[in-house]
Amino acid sequence: MTKEELLNKLKELNRISSKLELSSTERKEVFESISGYTERFISTLDSSRAFSQKPAGRLAVTGDRMPLAEILDIYQKEVAENGINAASGKHLGYIPGGGIFAGAIADFIAAVTNPFAGVYYASPGAASIENEVVNWLKSVFSFPAGSVGCLSSGGSVSTLIAFTAARDKHRVKNEAVRKSVVYLGEQVHHSTQKALRIIGLEDVLIRYVPLDDQHRMRADVLATQIEKDCNRGLNPFLVVATAGTTDTGAVDPLNDIANIAEQSRLWFHVDAAYGGFYILTSRNQLFNGIERADSLITDPHKGLFLPYGVGAVLIKDKASALQSNYYEANYMQDAAAEELILSPANLSPELTRHFRGLRVWLPLLLHGIEPFKSCLEEKLLLTKYFRIRLAELGFNMGPEPHLSVSYFWYPFEQDTDQKNRQLMDAIHHDGEVFLSSSVINNRFVIRVAINSFRTKKETVDRSIEMIERCVKDIK
Ligand SMILES: Cc1ncc(COP(=O)(O)O)c(C=O)c1O
């Protein structure tokens, strides 16, 4: 290719590739259109169903262009109106959060400015924003200043990071794996076992510790089991407590478990993915002992009501956290001189990563902490209110919950499990409000998880009306 041919080719490519940079006018048009769409979405949330389901269609990428209006139309029909409406306050299943608008704004700014947030050298400001969020989390959970941490995509990846540090600290590898023991509560979240599997620990021995009548791990049984395992020549190395289980919202007796872990030299991990931020409420005494954990995970996309895709992990032992995640490479040599923990990438499996620090930092600065605290406190009281209203209708309720997840069933005279299953189906079919189910103490139960910033007293009233409607048809 001659120089002239090359210049002509570049001109031609530029004519087409420049379309990726919208003009100022186009950006304004797009922005107005998106803003109109999101306004309509938010302002009709109250009247939209929380659940409906049809197979997804019309979403194939063909390589052809499509006007934005048409894209938004497809998005509305195929995504926004299909499945669980997780932005709705009427989503009371699994663990909701909602997704506050300030988080979306932060994501927009992060995406437009696109700093390389994983490495301090590349963006001291973006890396520091994440580090300051981690520092704030350390203060929330009374972790020492010397502990380290990072933001992840969510609870599952945070668990992976924490367990890898535990594995490395306790040198659980090769033949040591089969002799090592992990202790889990019976209602532990499945991301726990999944993380063990992913990090090469699927052959460890897992002991499921039974729960008491409030669904908390029985510390006395844990202590006895560890002693038995030691006597058998095994290597107990990790105990996982949960501060807010998914099934029932129970907070394990953290101080008791910390005592046992300390005595037996186990790594003490706390899964506070859902419940962690309730430490900011009047129930904070339930969390006594959380500060003694070796590692802790918590999910701002649950307890701070941020859009999905942001979890956090705190680890006390800096060396173990760095061991698997820090790597030297020639092409990274310019960044090598800096303090390792300034760069989130050194504490996480991700190098290039979403600048998720901004979606935590910006909302906390914009709103201050008080609305978050009030919102969490409100969820606790709404759960109480929900239970009072259901009990008035003759439902049986699980024990008084620690936090904002509870469960119930209707005491049909016959085939109770099957009829409650039918009730769950009827609730899903109605779809105005979304609830999910579980099996607790061998009983089919319906769960309510009140954790969306948009769930209000009126939402609870509408849920009760709906449940009443559905149960009448089955009786
Ligand atoms: C207690 C608990 N731990 C861990 C997780 C996993 O978190 P994520 O879905 O963010 O990966 C969840 C999710 O609901 C959870 O409730």
Side-chain angles (χ1 to χ4, degrees):
M1 196 183 261
T2 64
K3 184 177 167 198
E4 194 167 329
E5 283 167 341
L6 184 125
L7 290 174
N8 284 338
K9 187 70 186 164
L10 276 177
K11 212 185 230 174
E12 188 192 326
L13 290 174
N14 178 51
R15 188 178 57 78
I16 304 173
S17 67
S18 295
K19 292 185 177 156
L20 293 178
E21 183 72 282
L22 301 186
S23 69
S24 175
T25 316
E26 286 169 323
R27 284 198 294 273
K28 278 194 192 112
E29 280 170 15
V30 166
F31 208 74
E32 264 169 35
S33 180
I34 299 292
S35 161
Y37 173 74
T38 53
E39 268 315 298
R40 278 193 300 285
F41 176 80
I42 293 174
S43 62
T44 54
L45 269 176
D46 241 16
S47 54
S48 321
R49 285 156 64 115
F51 183 63
S52 60
Q53 209 174 36
K54 61 176 173 88
R58 287 214 300 156
L59 294 168
V61 177
T62 64
D64 293 332
R65 302 175 58 199
M66 194 185 275
L68 181 59
E70 207 176 313
I71 297 172
L72 290 177
D73 193 44
I74 292 176
Y75 184 85
Q76 177 63 20
K77 292 197 178 91
E78 301 295 338
V79 182
E81 288 171 10
N82 194 10
I84 301 167
N85 190 342
S88 164
K90 294 186 288 182
H91 171 24
L92 308 178
Y94 305 111
I95 303 289
I100 57 173
F101 200 70
I105 296 298
D107 272 2
F108 178 72
I109 298 171
V112 171
T113 55
N114 205 24
F116 196 87
V119 175
Y120 184 87
Y121 171 80
S123 181
S128 296
I129 280 185
E130 177 157 342
N131 295 336
E132 288 303 340
V133 169
V134 168
N135 286 338
W136 175 71
L137 290 171
K138 287 188 215 165
S139 70
V140 168
F141 294 103
S142 304
F143 261 49
S147 44
V148 296
C150 69
L151 300 179
S152 69
S153 59
S156 305
V157 172
S158 297
T159 305
L160 210 67
I161 297 172
F163 286 5
T164 303
R167 179 199 66 188
D168 292 350
K169 166 95 174 174
H170 285 255
R171 296 197 174 79
V172 180
K173 56 181 179 179
N174 304 329
E175 59 282 358
V177 174
R178 284 175 193 281
K179 285 181 72 183
S180 296
V181 195
V182 175
Y183 302 85
L184 311 176
E186 280 177 346
Q187 282 180 357
V188 73
H189 192 268
H190 74 273
S191 52
T192 304
Q193 294 95 327
K194 187 168 153 181
L196 289 171
R197 220 197 287 161
I198 294 172
I199 65 168
L201 298 186
E202 69 174 319
D203 291 330
V204 290
L205 294 157
I206 294 184
R207 308 282 186 226
Y208 288 97
V209 183
L211 311 178
D212 65 14
D213 55 7
Q214 285 184 53
H215 305 298
R216 295 175 303 184
M217 184 190 281
R218 296 243 332 248
D220 56 332
V221 180
L222 171 69
T224 316
Q225 186 65 54
I226 293 174
E227 201 182 326
K228 272 191 204 160
D229 289 334
C230 287
N231 292 340
R232 283 186 196 135
L234 297 172
N235 170 38
F237 94 97
L238 168 67
V239 56
V240 179
T242 306
T245 56
T246 318
D247 262 330
T248 62
V251 180
D252 285 330
L254 303 174
N255 253 328
D256 295 346
I257 299 171
N259 287 339
I260 297 166
E262 206 170 277
Q263 234 166 31
S264 305
R265 296 204 182 82
L266 266 69
W267 181 286
F268 174 35
H269 173 79
V270 179
D271 176 349
Y274 147 64
F277 288 105
Y278 285 94
I279 199 172
L280 298 170
T281 71
S282 55
R283 306 264 166 96
N284 60 354
Q285 72 288 349
L286 285 169
F287 296 84
N288 288 347
I290 202 165
E291 71 288 351
R292 298 172 65 191
D294 291 294
S295 58
L296 174 157
I297 64 156
T298 194
D299 275 352
H301 67 196
K302 297 182 173 78
L304 289 181
F305 322 109
L306 295 174
Y308 289 141
V310 59
V313 55
L314 300 179
I315 297 172
K316 288 217 179 110
D317 190 303
K318 172 175 147 182
S320 330
L322 285 168
Q323 184 164 330
S324 282
N325 294 304
Y326 169 64
Y327 216 85
E328 281 177 23
N330 290 346
Y331 47 80
M332 295 294 287
Q333 66 184 1
D334 297 337
E338 71 193 28
E339 166 69 61
L340 292 180
I341 58 163
L342 287 178
S343 291
N346 290 335
L347 297 162
S348 142
E350 298 175 287
L351 173 57
T352 306
R353 59 218 303 276
H354 176 56
F355 177 22
R356 49 180 80 93
L358 194 64
R359 57 151 64 172
V360 188
W361 184 84
L362 186 147
L364 283 172
L365 260 67
L366 189 68
H367 293 299
I369 193 62
E370 286 310 321
F372 291 96
K373 285 187 182 172
S374 297
C375 202
L376 290 161
E377 199 76 46
E378 178 185 40
K379 303 309 140 205
L380 295 172
L381 293 189
L382 285 175
T383 311
K384 253 184 187 303
Y385 177 62
F386 188 100
R387 285 169 53 90
I388 292 172
R389 293 284 319 268
L390 266 192
E392 284 168 0
L393 293 180
F395 277 84
N396 282 0
M397 313 297 303
E400 189 68 39
H402 289 146
L403 303 175
S404 67
V405 176
S406 185
Y407 63 92
F408 59 90
W409 69 95
Y410 194 80
F412 296 102
E413 277 169 15
Q414 284 176 336
D415 305 325
T416 313
D417 268 14
Q418 197 200 327
K419 290 242 171 97
N420 276 287
R421 222 178 272 269
Q422 273 177 34
L423 174 59
M424 182 80 273
D425 289 345
I427 289 171
H428 286 164
H429 186 72
D430 182 294
E432 172 163 13
V433 176
F434 181 77
L435 297 156
S436 59
S437 68
S438 189
V439 174
I440 293 170
N441 297 336
N442 295 320
R443 176 188 290 289
F444 180 93
V445 298
I446 302 178
R447 286 171 69 258
V448 55
I450 300 189
N451 199 60
S452 163
F453 75 103
R454 291 195 172 107
T455 303
K456 298 287 166 185
K457 175 186 167 291
E458 296 69 31
T459 330
V460 173
D461 289 334
R462 280 163 76 178
S463 318
I464 302 293
E465 278 164 30
M466 172 191 154
I467 295 168
E468 195 174 8
R469 216 165 47 224
C470 294
V471 84
K472 260 189 199 143
D473 289 344
I474 295 168
K475 269 192 212 165

